[in-house]
Amino acid sequence: MAALDGLTKMEKDDLVVSLSALLCADAGAELTADNLNSAISASGNSVAPHIVPVVVGVLEKSEGVDKFCHAPGAGGGGGGGGGGGDAGGAAAEAKPEEKEEEEEEEIDMGGGMDMFGDG
C-alpha cells in the first residue's frame, strides 16, 4: 500500500495492529489474537509475530480500546475561533472581555547594588 511506504517496519506493524484492533472493536468482535491476525491477513498485511499477543494483553488489561479512543475535542486546548462575517446580530451583543493589567512589583534582592553598580 502506497500510504505505508514511508513507514519503518515497526511503525507499519504498530499501525496495522492498532487499526485491526479498532476494526474488531467496532465490529463487536472479541479482541483476541486470532481475530486480530484474521483482520491483519484480510487486509493483505503481516506483522512480526510477537506484536499481536502484546497488543491483546494490553487491551485485555485496559478493558478494550475505549481508553485509547478519546471523543473528538477531548483534551488539549481548543482552537481559536475564525473571524469574519456578520453573525446575525449575535456578535454585536457580545462584548469583548477587558483584561486587567497587573502592575509589576520591584523585588529587593538585597546586596545594595543595582545592575550598574550605582547603588
Side-chain angles (χ1 to χ4, degrees):
M1 178 177 231
L4 303 178
D5 287 344
L7 301 177
T8 66
K9 173 71 173 143
M10 184 180 290
E11 291 170 334
K12 179 185 172 198
D13 287 357
D14 288 345
L15 179 62
V16 169
V17 173
S18 298
L19 291 175
S20 298
L22 291 172
L23 176 72
C24 289
D26 193 47
E30 193 174 343
L31 294 172
T32 63
D34 287 339
N35 286 345
L36 263 63
N37 281 322
S38 294
I40 291 167
S41 296
S43 70
N45 289 291
S46 62
V47 297
H50 68 278
I51 293 179
V52 172
V54 170
V55 171
V56 169
V58 168
L59 293 174
E60 285 175 354
K61 288 180 182 177
S62 63
E63 300 176 0
V65 298
D66 293 337
K67 182 177 183 177
F68 304 102
C69 300
H70 300 287
D86 184 359
E93 294 176 18
K95 295 180 182 177
E97 294 182 25
E98 293 182 26
K99 293 185 180 180
E100 190 174 308
E101 292 186 32
E102 295 182 21
E103 293 184 27
E104 290 187 26
E105 188 175 307
E106 276 192 44
I107 298 174
D108 184 11
M109 302 287 285
M113 295 182 62
D114 66 7
M115 190 167 118
F116 301 105
D118 293 344

